[in-house]
């Protein structure tokens, strides 16, 4: 079955360390997204990509970086500049990029829980 | 900027009863789409129901239905015959057409179902 795979499920970061969260999809979707979820908050958009080799900042991009070298992969790096990285991170995708998505829902992975050691 | 507001941080319902979760949104656009997602303790985000703003008819999916009031910018979710498995966080989300597909989420409502 097609879907979105996020790994690892749990991740621990030391002070001053960069860590990378993996997101892979085999749905042949064009657009991919990264969200951060904190307790009592909704999902907040970190970065998104509508097409390979292109991505844009979301609402809370500071301290994060992404790449989109392949259609199926959209890894998120949490850099040492992100002073409060402890959160639940969700990756999502939609079939079509740009503004043509209409009522298509976003498909989500199972998430990665990131904590500071 | 678009915003989505869920005014009920927590709700509780008795098993087999009906509960309504509230959602209001703010947008100046006329063409947009609305969604309800469910997030059970497993943390997976599951689409519950969706509504196109241009459709007057309220969407329905089995025990789940919406009350879409476009003029009031209200999009409430009604769960009928509540089941224990309905216990979860519920998020309302909106997407403006042509906005690169970005969803704006509310902060969620935690629903508890009492046996």
């Amino acid at each position: 079955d097609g879907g979105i795979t996020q790994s690892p499920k749990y991740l621990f970061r030391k002070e001053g360390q960069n860590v990378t969260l993996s997101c892979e999809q085999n749905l042949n979707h064009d657009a991919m997204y990264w969200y951060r979820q904190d307790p009592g908050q909704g999902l907040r958009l970190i970065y998104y990509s509508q097409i390979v080799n292109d991505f844009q900042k979301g609402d809370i991009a500071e301290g994060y970086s992404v790449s989109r070298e392949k259609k199926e992969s959209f890894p998120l790096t949490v850099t040492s500049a992100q002073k409060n990285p402890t959160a639940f991170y969700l990756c999502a995708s939609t079939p079509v990029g740009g503004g043509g998505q209409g009522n298509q829902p976003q498909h989500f992975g199972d998430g990665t829980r990131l904590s500071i050691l | 900027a678009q915003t989505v507001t869920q005014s009920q941080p927590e709700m509780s319902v008795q098993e087999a009863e009906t509960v309504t979760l509230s959602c209001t949104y703010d947008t100046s656009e006329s063409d947009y789409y609305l969604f309800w997602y469910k997030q059970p303790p497993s943390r997976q985000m599951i689409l519950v129901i969706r509504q196109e703003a241009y459709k007057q008819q309220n969407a329905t999916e089995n025990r789940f239905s919406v009350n879409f009031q476009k003029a009031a910018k209200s999009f409430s979710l009604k769960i009928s015959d509540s089941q224990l498995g309905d216990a979860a966080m519920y998020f309302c989300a909106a997407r403006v057409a042509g906005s690169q597909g970005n969803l704006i989420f509310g902060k969620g409502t935690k629903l508890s179902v009492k046996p």
Side-chain angles (χ1 to χ4, degrees), chain A residues 36 46-47 57-65 79 81-83:
Chain A
R36 170 176 171 144
I46 305 173
Y47 267 98
K57 292 181 179 180
D59 299 322
I60 55 166
E62 186 175 351
Y64 300 96
S65 65
T79 75
Q82 174 49 248
K83 298 305 180 186

Side-chain angles (χ1 to χ4, degrees), chain A residues 37 50 102-104 113, chain B residues 39 43 50 52 95 100:
Chain A
Q37 186 177 23
Q50 302 291 339
N103 68 349
Q104 296 172 20
R113 163 70 65 185
Chain B
Q39 188 180 43
R43 305 300 294 269
R50 59 185 136 177
E52 294 87 350
R95 171 195 292 145
Q100 302 201 23

Side-chain angles (χ1 to χ4, degrees), chain A residues 9 33 35 37 40-43 45 48 50 56 88 90 94 98-99 101-110 113, chain B residues 33 35 37 39 42-47 50-52 89 91 95 97-108:
Chain A
K9 193 173 180 68
Y33 308 81
Y35 293 94
Q37 186 177 23
Q41 300 281 335
L43 277 63
L45 184 64
Y48 61 100
Q50 302 291 339
Q56 289 79 39
F88 187 66
L90 282 161
T94 49
Q101 300 180 15
N103 68 349
Q104 296 172 20
Q106 290 189 357
H107 298 256
F108 286 84
D110 289 341
R113 163 70 65 185
Chain B
Y33 306 91
F35 305 83
Y37 280 89
Q39 188 180 43
S42 65
R43 305 300 294 269
Q44 186 181 20
M45 292 288 283
I46 303 165
L47 177 70
R50 59 185 136 177
Q51 174 82 40
E52 294 87 350
M89 284 290 290
F91 292 95
R95 171 195 292 145
S99 66
Q100 302 201 23
N102 295 343
L103 285 175
I104 307 298
F105 286 87
K107 292 188 175 182

Side-chain angles (χ1 to χ4, degrees), chain B residues 66-83:
Chain B
V66 299
N67 182 5
F68 175 46
Q69 301 289 329
K70 191 170 184 178
K73 296 183 179 177
S74 172
F75 182 59
S76 60
L77 174 70
K78 185 171 81 171
I79 305 174
S80 303
D81 186 25
S82 297
Q83 301 175 359

Side-chain angles (χ1 to χ4, degrees), chain B:
Chain B
Q2 294 90 38
T3 58
V4 175
T5 302
Q6 293 179 250
S7 59
Q8 305 153 317
E10 296 188 28
M11 290 282 286
S12 180
V13 64
Q14 203 70 35
E15 194 177 7
E17 297 294 311
T18 296
V19 64
T20 298
L21 308 184
S22 300
C23 173
T24 58
Y25 58 91
D26 187 18
T27 178
S28 57
E29 304 293 329
S30 60
D31 191 10
Y32 52 88
Y33 306 91
L34 301 166
F35 305 83
W36 277 98
Y37 280 89
K38 170 184 177 181
Q39 188 180 43
S42 65
R43 305 300 294 269
Q44 186 181 20
M45 292 288 283
I46 303 165
L47 177 70
V48 175
I49 201 165
R50 59 185 136 177
Q51 174 82 40
E52 294 87 350
Y54 61 83
K55 289 187 177 179
Q56 291 186 337
Q57 187 173 8
N58 289 327
T60 299
E61 289 285 345
N62 300 314
R63 297 183 296 106
F64 299 87
S65 61
V66 299
N67 182 5
F68 175 46
Q69 301 289 329
K70 191 170 184 178
K73 296 183 179 177
S74 172
F75 182 59
S76 60
L77 174 70
K78 185 171 81 171
I79 305 174
S80 303
D81 186 25
S82 297
Q83 301 175 359
L84 295 177
D86 294 334
M89 284 290 290
Y90 286 83
F91 292 95
C92 179
R95 171 195 292 145
V96 171
S99 66
Q100 302 201 23
N102 295 343
L103 285 175
I104 307 298
F105 286 87
K107 292 188 175 182
T109 296
K110 183 178 181 180
L111 178 66
S112 301
V113 180
K114 298 178 180 178

